């Protein structure tokens, strides 16, 4: 089993720590802005600051990282994120935190996160092997599941009991743990001096995302997954805290139900991973659509939690399939560039998702936004069912 191998286990622990911390700030920062300004749109704009950096830097970053040590880049990125989150914590303690400081700091964290994701993703085939990509991504989704299950409710409880500084301090500590995980990783990287310098233009990575019908389908679904996920999380936070008047811990419970869905998805993934790729993906998108529709139609905590369970559980499996397929159809020599281009597309989609969530909540109702996302997911499912080149399992895909 992959998780029993020391190198992969070390990598997985670092990923678990990073995602766990992100779940803390994911709930804390929008609530901080809502408390200060009372504006869902401003909360969305602050969150967008963390997604603007990948949009600006992704394409040159992929080209630059092809000849760099992926481990060194990942460690540097986590060190930067730790520093910024520590500054946030101190600013809260000394009553110096402002919306402008949050926005600037999140921009830096977004840039660091881009470099971490691309370098981390490029290391996965070297550590796990190409034949075990679905298993590797499944374990990483398991880390996301654990973090999403425990993180939001703990963040809500800590936020209510101890305040903002405690939540941000936990997030800072998780970046330090991730840094150590990469530092102790056993990885034989190809010597940087022997890696050929790419002569392809910076936009070549984007062209690779649409070079054939499979890449085009993966890219389209990548856009839908990223825009829907970011929009849904912000809409649920605004819906529960503003429309329903929930306390922070209740909002945390709803978001933690998403983690329970992730755990169920990880447990089911091995038994369904041999099914036809596009049919499985389409079914998952329909389940996610049903979850969001349920959330938009209820005010009961239990039903809200069940809706998040369906939505995030289904989408977590969809993310695993999509990410595994992207890696499987891309060669090692082009992986950093393609992952960076994917981050660029994902960043644009995430910005659009948060802008949609904030504006719909500001001018209409967050429930309307949830219904719109449900319709989008249902449409994505239909496209997947009719995709003819997705009738083989992900494990059979090749570059």
């Amino acid at each position: 089993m992959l998780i029993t191998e020391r190198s992969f286990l070390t990598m997985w622990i670092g990923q678990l720590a990073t995602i766990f911390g992100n779940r803390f700030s994911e709930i804390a920062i929008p609530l901080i802005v809502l408390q200060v300004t009372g504006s869902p749109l401003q909360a969305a704009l602050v969150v967008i600051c963390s997604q603007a950096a990948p949009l600006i830097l992704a394409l040159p970053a992929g080209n630059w990282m092809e000849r760099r040590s992926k481990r060194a880049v990942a460690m540097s990125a986590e060190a930067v994120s730790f520093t910024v989150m520590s500054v946030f914590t101190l600013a809260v303690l000394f009553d110096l935190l402002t919306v402008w400081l949050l926005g600037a700091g999140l921009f830096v964290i977004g840039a660091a996160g881009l470099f971490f994701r691309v370098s981390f993703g490029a290391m996965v085939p070297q550590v796990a092997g190409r034949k075990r990509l679905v298993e590797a991504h499944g374990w990483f989704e398991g880390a996301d599941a654990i973090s999403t299950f425990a993180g939001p409710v703990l963040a809500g409880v800590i936020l209510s009991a101890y305040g903002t500084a405690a939540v941000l301090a936990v997030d800072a500590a998780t970046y330090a743990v991730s840094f150590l995980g990469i530092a102790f990783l056993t990885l034989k990287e190809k010597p940087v001096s022997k890696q050929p310098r790419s002569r392809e233009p910076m936009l070549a990575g984007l062209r690779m995302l649409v070079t054939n019908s499979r890449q085009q389908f993966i890219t389209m679904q990548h856009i839908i997954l990223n825009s829907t996920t970011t929009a849904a999380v912000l809409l649920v936070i605004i819906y529960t805290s503003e429309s329903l008047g929930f306390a922070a811990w209740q909002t945390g419970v709803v978001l933690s139900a998403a983690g329970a869905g992730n755990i169920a998805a990880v447990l089911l993934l091995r038994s369904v991973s041999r099914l036809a790729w596009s049919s499985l993906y389409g079914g998952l998108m329909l389940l996610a659509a049903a979850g969001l529709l349920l959330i938009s139609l209820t005010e009961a905590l239990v039903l809200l939690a069940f809706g998040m369970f369906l939505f995030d559980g289904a989408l977590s499996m969809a993310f695993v399939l999509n990410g595994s397929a992207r890696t499987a159809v891309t060669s090692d020599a082009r992986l950093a560039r393609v992952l960076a281009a994917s981050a660029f597309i994902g960043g644009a989609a995430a910005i659009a998702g948060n802008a949609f969530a904030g504006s719909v909540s500001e001018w209409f109702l967050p429930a309307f936004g949830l219904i719109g996302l449900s319709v989008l997911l249902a449409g994505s499912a239909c496209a997947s069912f009719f995709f003819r080149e997705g009738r083989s399992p992900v494990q059979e895909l090749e570059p």
Side-chain angles (χ1 to χ4, degrees):
M1 187 179 294
L2 191 56
I3 196 66
T4 62
E5 299 178 11
R6 180 180 178 276
S7 292
F8 185 80
L9 177 61
T10 303
M11 198 178 201
W12 184 84
I13 291 173
Q15 184 75 340
L16 172 66
T18 295
I19 301 173
F20 187 81
N22 289 344
R23 294 297 174 265
F24 268 62
S25 56
E26 190 176 75
I27 184 173
I29 289 176
L31 289 177
I32 291 170
V33 180
L34 285 172
Q35 291 171 4
V36 172
T37 66
S39 170
L41 184 58
Q42 289 192 46
L45 291 175
V46 169
V47 174
I48 283 173
C49 289
S50 66
Q51 296 149 353
L55 191 64
I56 297 170
L57 300 174
L59 298 182
N63 200 358
W64 179 81
M65 277 192 283
E66 283 186 348
R67 287 178 50 82
R68 301 302 189 280
S69 166
K70 307 304 183 294
R71 184 212 298 267
V73 172
M75 290 173 61
S76 300
E78 295 299 78
V80 169
S81 296
F82 168 79
T83 301
V84 174
M85 198 57 65
S86 298
V87 170
F88 283 171
T89 304
L90 293 174
V92 170
L93 290 174
F94 291 98
D95 199 22
L96 297 174
L97 188 66
T98 65
V99 172
W100 291 103
L101 178 60
L102 272 174
L106 288 175
F107 181 87
V108 175
I109 288 178
L114 163 70
F115 283 93
F116 177 80
R117 289 194 304 275
V118 174
S119 56
F120 187 92
M123 288 189 288
V124 171
Q126 300 176 55
V127 175
R130 284 190 164 272
K131 294 299 182 182
R132 297 189 290 179
L133 286 174
V134 173
E135 183 182 356
H137 283 277
W139 279 109
F140 292 136
E141 193 63 29
D144 187 280
I146 295 170
S147 302
T148 307
F149 178 69
V153 68
L154 285 176
V157 171
I158 293 174
L159 185 63
S160 299
Y162 301 104
T164 304
V167 174
L168 299 178
V170 171
D171 196 358
T174 58
Y175 284 118
V177 173
S178 178
F179 175 91
L180 293 174
I182 300 299
F184 288 106
L185 179 65
T186 302
L187 175 67
K188 294 182 179 179
E189 291 191 87
K190 184 178 180 180
V192 173
S193 60
K194 296 183 180 180
Q195 295 179 11
R197 183 184 298 275
S198 175
R199 297 182 181 277
E200 295 172 332
M202 187 174 64
L203 295 179
L206 283 177
R207 289 201 295 271
M208 293 174 193
L209 300 184
V210 293
T211 51
N212 55 61
S213 57
R214 286 184 174 177
Q215 288 278 21
Q216 291 166 6
F217 176 80
I218 293 168
T219 300
M220 180 186 72
Q221 299 303 325
H222 181 69
I223 292 171
I224 293 173
L225 287 171
N226 280 272
S227 59
T228 303
T229 302
T230 54
V233 170
L234 185 55
L235 282 168
V236 168
I237 291 174
I238 296 171
Y239 180 57
T240 54
S241 62
E242 296 290 298
S243 299
L244 304 183
F246 281 10
W249 71 267
Q250 291 173 302
T251 298
V253 167
V254 175
L255 295 179
S256 288
N262 281 10
I263 293 172
V266 169
L267 295 175
L268 288 171
L269 184 61
R270 183 182 294 273
S271 60
V272 299
S273 62
R274 300 298 304 182
L275 296 177
W277 165 36
S278 60
S279 298
L280 175 59
Y281 187 90
L284 293 171
M285 298 301 264
L286 280 181
L287 273 178
L292 283 187
L293 187 61
L294 175 60
I295 292 172
S296 68
L297 298 176
T298 185
E299 298 181 2
L301 180 60
V302 173
L303 292 179
L304 286 165
F306 182 67
M308 280 301 292
F309 175 89
L310 287 179
F311 166 72
D312 216 68
L315 240 61
S316 68
M317 292 181 69
F319 265 110
V320 170
L321 291 174
N322 194 261
S324 299
R326 174 76 80 199
T327 305
V329 301
T330 306
S331 66
D332 285 341
R334 297 289 182 264
L335 193 53
R337 187 186 295 266
V338 167
L339 289 176
S342 296
F344 173 83
I345 295 293
I351 288 174
N354 277 321
F356 169 78
S359 57
V360 168
S361 301
E362 181 86 10
W363 298 320
F364 301 101
L365 291 172
F368 291 169
L370 292 168
I371 293 172
L373 294 180
S374 179
V375 172
L376 175 63
L377 290 173
S380 173
C382 293
S384 184
F385 289 136
F386 288 102
F387 182 58
R388 293 184 177 181
E389 296 186 43
R391 294 176 180 174
S392 59
V394 172
Q395 292 91 330
E396 297 179 9
L397 298 177
E398 296 180 351

